[in-house]
Amino acid sequence: MRFFMGAAFERIGARLLAVGRMMLARPLLTYGTLVLLLVLILVLQPRVHIFTLDVTTEIAVFTTTDDVLTAWDLGAASKLIDNPDPFAEPSKGRSLGPNAQLIIYNETQVDVQRHGTGVVRVRLTRDDADPMGRIENQAGVEDLKNWAVLLIEPAGSPVLFPFRGTLTVGYDVAAGVDSVLQGGTVSVVENQLLGDARYTANTENLDPGDRVEMRDDPSGDLPSKLSVVTGFIRAEPATGYPEPMEALGVVAHGTADFVQVDRLGSSGYKIRAPRWARFLHDPLLAAGTAIVALFALLMEVGKKCSECVSAYREKKSSDK
């Protein structure tokens, strides 16, 4: 047994030695091989991907992870419905008065909904018994518990709702669903290997009715999880603009492994940064590819020259 293993190792060593001698005898081949390996490493090197979601939607749902951003000025035309009846009429809500502010606590789910240029409906829910947030106005401070809906009517100028948390835009299209994503784009930005320069590696359009989430690939066999993103929701007033934007504008940025798009009539798909984009935008990789191509060209030219010289020598010897 030891004899056969020793013989196998000897054969492998002899082959490696032969390859090494051949590469030493042909420095051009050696350099080309090293550059090719460098190019492969640059292509396969993992990089940070920053996804940007820019959409128009009737519904956006996020769970807060940083209450510093979710301190919202509500304006004068806002009402609060804290009746446990989810079908309570808006007229049953109570006015919050001028200069009201909503502070949303961490781990609170926020559903922001708007149809056309109507009122913005913000629903707050939470799985545990902790407070969801608080209202601060001229009447004082009021804690929000269990369930609450705020009706906000943009007047005079657009309203912005910044946030940080896990985000889902759009609902799955089904019977009874009245709020969907209307359209937009997903783009992914990637860093160059050297320096702080970035480039857009991929841009995809979204169709009405899509459901979009930024997700991270876990280690092992665990399912993917939602990524934490930072963004804002914008609503324009119904008057004061020649063509006011309907529904909600949502812009969100975050590092993620991919964007999951669920689409009616299909199993959905993932948006990622294609590796081939690095050949176009990363100067180091583009230079490495050009060097590999140059080495290949020189080797081909050298091969042709060698064939021509050999043919000339054979012809000259035959003439003698």
Side-chain angles (χ1 to χ4, degrees):
M1 183 66 179
R2 292 181 180 177
F3 172 77
F4 289 112
M5 291 182 64
F9 282 121
E10 288 181 1
R11 288 195 297 270
I12 295 174
R15 291 179 181 177
L16 292 176
L17 184 60
V19 172
R21 289 176 177 173
M22 181 185 67
M23 296 185 71
L24 290 175
R26 300 180 181 180
L28 192 62
L29 177 61
T30 302
Y31 295 146
T33 303
L34 293 177
V35 173
L36 180 59
L37 290 176
L38 177 61
V39 169
L40 291 177
I41 292 173
L42 293 177
V43 171
L44 300 177
Q45 179 75 19
R47 303 188 189 183
V48 176
H49 300 136
I50 301 175
F51 287 87
T52 297
L53 183 66
D54 187 356
V55 300
T56 301
T57 182
E58 295 172 331
I59 182 67
V61 181
F62 64 89
T63 301
T64 57
T65 60
D66 188 348
D67 53 12
V68 174
L69 289 178
T70 48
W72 298 347
D73 293 326
L74 301 179
S78 55
K79 294 182 178 181
L80 171 66
I81 303 174
D82 52 3
N83 190 318
D85 179 12
F87 300 102
E89 295 294 330
S91 59
K92 296 182 181 179
R94 48 193 174 89
S95 176
L96 296 176
N99 303 320
Q101 189 177 49
L102 168 66
I103 293 90
I104 306 173
Y105 297 155
N106 288 347
E107 300 181 8
T108 298
Q109 179 175 312
V110 184
D111 298 38
V112 185
Q113 185 182 46
R114 190 191 194 196
H115 294 139
T117 57
V119 298
V120 180
R121 183 182 178 93
V122 179
R123 184 180 66 177
L124 308 179
T125 56
R126 194 178 178 95
D127 294 333
D128 53 33
D130 293 337
M132 301 178 297
R134 66 181 187 273
I135 296 288
E136 296 182 358
N137 55 13
Q138 294 179 347
V141 179
E142 178 182 358
D143 288 332
L144 301 176
K145 300 179 180 180
N146 300 326
W147 187 92
V149 169
L150 292 99
L151 304 177
I152 305 167
E153 185 175 356
S157 61
V159 294
L160 293 178
F161 305 124
F163 66 90
R164 179 177 292 122
T166 57
L167 174 68
T168 300
V169 179
Y171 281 155
D172 290 326
V173 177
V177 173
D178 62 353
S179 303
V180 295
L181 182 144
Q182 295 183 340
T185 60
V186 175
S187 59
V188 53
V189 173
E190 191 174 65
N191 284 348
Q192 293 181 358
L193 187 63
L194 298 179
D196 297 329
R198 298 175 179 177
Y199 57 87
T200 301
N202 191 17
T203 300
E204 296 284 348
N205 293 322
L206 299 172
D207 291 344
D210 286 347
R211 182 173 178 269
V212 186
E213 294 175 335
M214 296 188 193
R215 288 189 164 271
D216 290 327
D217 280 327
S219 57
D221 298 330
L222 298 175
S224 63
K225 61 180 182 178
L226 290 171
S227 305
V228 175
V229 303
T230 303
F232 64 89
I233 300 172
R234 185 175 187 270
E236 292 183 358
T239 59
Y241 283 77
E243 295 181 0
M245 178 185 66
E246 297 186 352
L248 302 166
V250 178
V251 177
H253 313 276
T255 57
D257 292 322
F258 64 92
V259 170
Q260 177 66 41
V261 179
D262 295 325
R263 178 167 295 174
L264 180 66
S266 70
S267 58
Y269 62 96
K270 296 178 175 62
I271 299 176
R272 298 180 184 269
R275 297 186 184 275
W276 58 262
R278 299 178 182 180
F279 289 96
L280 300 176
H281 303 286
D282 195 318
L284 184 61
L285 187 57
T289 306
I291 293 173
V292 171
L294 179 61
F295 277 137
L297 178 61
L298 292 176
M299 291 177 65
E300 185 66 21
V301 171
K303 181 180 178 181
K304 294 297 182 181
C305 292
S306 178
E307 292 176 354
C308 291
V309 170
S310 299
Y312 174 76
R313 288 177 177 176
E314 289 180 358
K315 182 178 180 181
K316 188 175 181 180
S317 60
S318 63
D319 291 341
K320 292 180 180 181

